[in-house]
Amino acid sequence: MTGKVHHYYAGGNTAKGFYSLYDSVLEDLERLYILKGGPGTGKSSLMKHVGQMMEEKGFDVEYLHCASDNKSIDGVILPNEKIGIVDGTAPHVIEPKAPGVIEEYVNLGVAWDSNKLSHHKEEILTLNQEISKKFNQAYETFAASLRAHDDIEDIYISNMDFAEANQLTDEIISLFYEEATLDKKPRVQHRFLGAATPEGAVDFIQNLTEDIEKRYFIKGRAGSGKSTMLKKIVAAGEQRGFDVEVYHCGFDPNSLDMVILREKGIAIFDSTAPHEYFPERNSDEIIDMYERCITPGTDEKYAEDIARTTKAYKDKMKEAISYLAEAKQLRDQLESYYIEAMDFKKIDAIKEELTKEIESFLKQN
């Protein structure tokens, strides 16, 4: 029997640069292994191996995906056992709370041949500079895309009935929580449900909500109050003692895209592009912010302006994704030098030792 498996991101390539939510994701862990080592040293493969093994043993497993490489992961967590393994190399540098007690460093660099790497010193330095340049170009272009997105929002904000939006939010909060409160400190965890990646926008909404009884799909336009509503639902849940999973927007981390209240069996999420979904189950419901809160005819009245700003937003998004794809190609070249210099028998030995240590920790707890 396998456990529940959830997929999400703890860091992302956003309009605010690389944005990390690792502090929140890793906050409650009692044992954390931080992997050190260059690209191509087997960090992702090691974590996938441990995750798969723990799935087969029946543990719940969470995979933290890599926003810069669609085939890699940046971490694996056993949430109920409060144990995890993460890639601790840049840009997701993990600050340890109690090294040796909670955090343990695992250095995969012991398995490379420094002499082989030194033969490619100039190429490696050049590639690192080029990769950094591509990421900076991506972040600058995402920021330009966000400015265009803000222009779209301005149109709808100026045609917004805020009293109606507040009323709708109050209705939903009342529907979700009624008079219920829990006498405990709530666990509020911040994550990303998706990310901008070298292959475009990716999300894990379907995976994260597959075992949720009631799903609410928020429809609307940019600036129609979706994120504000979600933030108020989070605050209300926290105030009432409910655990809350808070999913930030992978494009603008200041905005929210989804909230899950597993104790209530409820998920509510922004179901517009690039993560547009439609009800599939009888229990799924749509909440239409445009219909309820925006002046009728706004789409038609401002159609020309909306089309112009939407094109500018999409064009910049496409350009930014192209820089991520170029960075991925350069990183693949960089990895090839490290792979060539690696003794993977040593990596297998580290993997075996780490696996035994994790199993020992699990038996003790």
Side-chain angles (χ1 to χ4, degrees):
M1 179 181 173
T2 58
K4 292 178 183 176
V5 178
H6 287 146
H7 300 268
Y8 57 91
Y9 293 86
N13 300 306
T14 79
K16 309 294 183 184
F18 181 82
Y19 199 91
S20 174
L21 294 172
Y22 276 86
D23 284 350
S24 178
V25 169
L26 306 177
E27 185 178 25
D28 294 335
L29 297 187
E30 294 174 359
R31 192 67 174 161
L32 177 64
Y33 296 93
I34 302 173
L35 304 184
K36 293 292 187 179
T41 54
K43 298 186 295 294
S44 178
S45 296
L46 186 156
M47 291 185 287
K48 286 179 180 178
H49 168 79
V50 172
Q52 181 65 39
M53 186 181 69
M54 293 303 164
E55 281 185 54
E56 292 169 0
K57 289 179 180 291
F59 292 100
D60 290 355
V61 179
E62 296 175 355
Y63 291 97
L64 316 184
H65 285 255
C66 176
S68 301
D69 183 345
N70 296 73
K71 294 179 181 178
S72 291
I73 61 170
D74 283 339
V76 61
I77 292 173
L78 307 181
N80 298 327
E81 290 67 36
K82 298 190 175 182
I83 186 170
I85 312 172
V86 291
D87 180 345
T89 57
H92 29 73
V93 178
I94 313 299
E95 290 297 331
K97 290 180 288 187
V101 179
I102 294 176
E103 296 88 3
E104 191 75 45
Y105 286 99
V106 180
N107 182 16
L108 303 188
V110 297
W112 64 44
D113 185 333
S114 297
N115 288 327
K116 284 186 179 180
L117 287 174
S118 65
H119 292 316
H120 302 288
K121 177 182 176 182
E122 293 306 318
E123 296 97 318
I124 289 171
L125 289 172
T126 299
L127 281 168
N128 275 319
Q129 289 175 348
E130 287 299 312
I131 291 167
S132 179
K133 182 179 175 183
K134 291 299 177 185
F135 275 115
N136 286 333
Q137 286 179 297
Y139 299 147
E140 288 170 6
T141 311
F142 279 131
S145 180
L146 181 59
R147 289 192 290 273
H149 191 268
D150 289 343
D151 290 341
I152 305 170
E153 285 192 345
D154 288 343
I155 294 169
Y156 290 102
I157 289 170
S158 63
N159 288 274
M160 178 94 167
D161 185 335
F162 289 98
E164 190 65 27
N166 289 335
Q167 175 63 31
L168 175 58
T169 300
D170 289 343
E171 290 171 13
I172 290 170
I173 288 172
S174 179
L175 175 67
F176 284 7
Y177 302 110
E178 300 174 303
E179 300 299 320
T181 59
L182 298 179
D183 187 19
K184 66 175 177 62
K185 182 181 178 182
R187 183 171 187 254
V188 180
Q189 193 173 48
H190 296 265
R191 306 165 165 177
F192 289 108
L193 61 81
T197 79
E199 296 180 13
V202 173
D203 74 79
F204 292 112
I205 287 177
Q206 296 287 41
N207 165 261
L208 290 164
T209 65
E210 65 185 358
D211 54 350
I212 296 293
E213 298 165 28
K214 187 76 177 176
R215 303 190 302 175
Y216 294 86
F217 298 60
I218 311 176
K219 300 293 183 180
R221 311 293 189 272
S224 58
K226 302 185 295 294
S227 176
T228 300
M229 172 189 282
L230 292 174
K231 288 176 181 177
K232 289 181 178 180
I233 291 169
V234 171
E238 189 174 2
Q239 186 179 19
R240 289 164 170 79
F242 286 94
D243 295 344
V244 187
E245 291 174 21
V246 185
Y247 291 88
H248 292 248
C249 172
F251 171 51
D252 178 6
N254 293 331
S255 292
L256 301 186
D257 275 346
M258 179 165 72
V259 174
I260 296 181
L261 306 165
R262 293 197 184 271
E263 291 159 323
K264 301 289 288 183
I266 291 172
I268 180 168
F269 58 92
D270 180 341
S271 186
T272 58
H275 34 77
E276 184 175 23
Y277 293 96
F278 296 93
E280 315 173 306
R281 313 173 193 166
N282 292 334
S283 57
D284 289 342
E285 281 191 38
I286 287 177
I287 297 170
D288 194 329
M289 300 290 288
Y290 180 82
E291 184 180 277
R292 180 85 180 255
C293 307
I294 302 294
T295 304
T298 296
D299 280 350
E300 294 77 14
K301 183 177 180 180
Y302 298 95
E304 192 174 312
D305 288 338
I306 292 167
R308 174 178 50 79
T309 50
T310 299
K311 183 179 185 306
Y313 156 67
K314 288 185 175 180
D315 286 349
K316 285 297 181 183
M317 283 293 288
K318 188 175 179 181
E319 182 185 345
I321 293 294
S322 75
Y323 292 132
L324 293 181
E326 289 174 27
K328 171 65 170 62
Q329 290 176 345
L330 292 168
R331 192 170 175 82
D332 288 345
Q333 293 178 41
L334 182 63
E335 284 188 357
S336 68
Y337 291 118
Y338 283 87
I339 291 170
E340 186 183 323
M342 292 296 293
D343 181 346
F344 284 101
K345 288 182 180 178
K346 290 184 179 179
I347 295 296
D348 288 339
I350 292 171
K351 184 195 303 180
E352 188 175 335
E353 184 182 342
L354 180 58
T355 301
K356 286 180 180 177
E357 193 169 327
I358 290 171
E359 289 179 328
S360 175
F361 179 86
L362 293 172
K363 286 176 184 175
Q364 294 169 16
N365 293 273

